[in-house]
Every structure is written in C-alpha cells, then in structure tokens.
Amino acid sequence: MVISTCIFDAYGTLFDVSAAARSLAAQPGQEALATVQGPLAEDWRRKQLEYSWLRAITGEHLPFWQVTQDGLDWAMARHGLTDPVLREDLLALYWQLAAYPEVPELLARLKAQGLACAILSNGSPDMLDGAVQSAGIGDLLDDVLSVESVGIFKPAHVVYDLVGNRFGCAKSEVLFVSSNGWDAAAAAGYGFRTAWVNRAGAPMDRLPATPDTTLNDLTGIPEIAA
C-alpha cells in the first residue's frame, strides 16, 4: 500500500535528548557538569528507557516525567553530582529540547506530499507539548499521541494501536520512524513499515523483527514515504 501516514518517535528522533546537559554544561560555573556531561546524558537516557520497560513489564505505570526524573537521579548519583539546583536546571531544560536541524524542512516536505504527520511517544502530553512548541513545529504536525492514553509504555502493541485508531489507516500505510532500534524493530513486528534513524552507528538489535530501512538522519524520509 501507499504510505499515507508518517509517525515519529519524539525523543532522540525529532528532539535532541542530549541538548539539556550539553547546553547547561557550556555555561559559566558548570565545570563539574562539563567534565561528565556526555556520559551523564547517555546514562540519563538509558535509565529513562530501562525504567519505562520495567514499568511496562510489571504494570506499575507512572507518567514519563517521573521516569525522566528517576533516570536523572540515577545518572547524577553515578557521576557524583549532588547539587539540587543542577538537577532542577537539567530537568527544566528537558521541556525545551531543540529539534534536530533537518526536522522543520522534513516535516514541511511530508506535508507538501499530502501525508499525515504525527508523534507517537512515551512522553507525557505536557512534556511533548513543551518540546513541540519550543521547537516551533506544532503547525507541521497533525497530532501528538502519548502513551498516557493507554497507560503503558512502548513497545506494547496497544501503544502502536493508537495510530490506526486516530488516523483510520491500515498498518501497511504507516511509515514509523524512530532513532531507537528496539522501537523500530517492535513497530516492524507490529506491521508498520519502519525506518531506523541510527544516528549513533549502533549495531542492529537482536529482536524478532528488523526495521525496513536504516538511515543516518531524517533527510531521506520523504523519498521513502513517496
């Protein structure tokens, strides 16, 4: 079938999740953060994901904002950072994440091709709204879908069901795009056509399904969706 709907993961796919630590570390007086900001950002993101999976498995769902705070607390403890003001500053920046440079033009091209475009994310609705507004891409999206409406994190299939429920499209009409290999693989197993944006050059996850396409960034998505 022809692609009618492009669905994007948010964090790490459209929005640069390392931007919070990186931007704060560049400010005067942040020498302690500057020495560990790269590993801190990686650990924060990793624990954020791990905690979402564990909560999905155990059925102990909490909003993604709480998972984000828990992940940061673990990462700060690992790197010996105890300043509560630093913690609050990092969390505040998470609501204003920058989009990757290619995102606005990409979404505009997809809309010009007549495709519906939306986000499907683990993020809480208020977190996602903050990021979308900060990046200035709200007018390029038809919707922002959050797992909060079903109370479980990806890769639960009920999350991917949200796309068909909202847009009335067949699974084969959906191009699902994620920078998370596990997410792209799960969506492929669900029945979406998938593109993995492998910005880090990571190896393929060993999972039952694999993404249809692997890209270095988002610039090739309009050609795949055409």
Side-chain angles (χ1 to χ4, degrees):
M1 275 191 178
V2 174
I3 296 296
S4 67
T5 308
C6 285
I7 303 296
F8 295 88
D9 173 59
Y11 300 115
T13 303
L14 296 180
F15 305 116
D16 184 355
V17 294
S18 66
R22 187 171 62 246
S23 62
L24 189 58
Q27 297 180 15
Q30 296 293 346
E31 290 76 16
L33 174 61
T35 60
V36 299
Q37 69 88 10
L40 175 76
E42 292 177 6
D43 286 335
W44 185 3
R45 177 60 173 163
R46 177 168 57 86
K47 296 307 287 189
Q48 185 189 52
L49 292 173
E50 288 177 1
Y51 289 157
S52 72
W53 299 330
L54 289 168
R55 288 192 171 279
I57 292 168
T58 60
E60 298 174 315
H61 184 76
L62 281 175
F64 197 61
W65 180 235
Q66 184 61 55
V67 175
T68 298
Q69 293 178 75
D70 293 342
L72 176 59
D73 289 341
W74 188 94
M76 288 184 67
R78 181 177 188 185
H79 294 284
L81 299 174
T82 59
D83 183 356
V85 175
L86 173 62
R87 178 184 186 272
E88 293 307 310
D89 287 345
L90 285 168
L91 289 170
L93 287 168
Y94 212 93
W95 293 70
Q96 301 174 13
L97 292 175
Y100 285 101
E102 71 268 25
V103 168
E105 182 180 352
L106 158 77
L107 293 175
R109 289 180 63 190
L110 292 173
K111 296 300 293 180
Q113 291 173 209
L115 301 175
C117 295
I119 286 172
L120 176 64
S121 173
N122 280 342
S124 307
D126 50 355
M127 291 178 68
L128 292 168
D129 182 66
V132 167
Q133 297 308 317
S134 178
I137 59 173
D139 61 339
L140 298 173
L141 295 167
D142 294 290
D143 212 338
V144 179
L145 306 176
S146 167
V147 302
E148 285 306 303
S149 63
V150 291
I152 191 171
F153 294 115
K154 291 189 285 184
H157 277 194
V158 68
V159 175
Y160 302 118
D161 286 341
L162 292 171
V163 176
N165 294 342
R166 166 61 178 83
F167 291 101
C169 53
K171 295 177 182 179
S172 57
E173 294 178 71
V174 175
L175 176 62
F176 181 82
V177 184
S178 180
S179 64
N180 300 298
W182 58 269
D183 190 17
Y190 176 79
F192 289 157
R193 293 172 64 179
T194 56
W196 176 30
V197 184
N198 185 11
R199 298 183 186 274
M204 187 74 70
D205 281 311
R206 272 54 173 178
L207 293 170
T210 57
D212 298 295
T213 305
T214 300
L215 304 170
N216 295 323
D217 59 31
L218 292 163
T219 55
I221 295 299
E223 285 71 30
I224 296 172

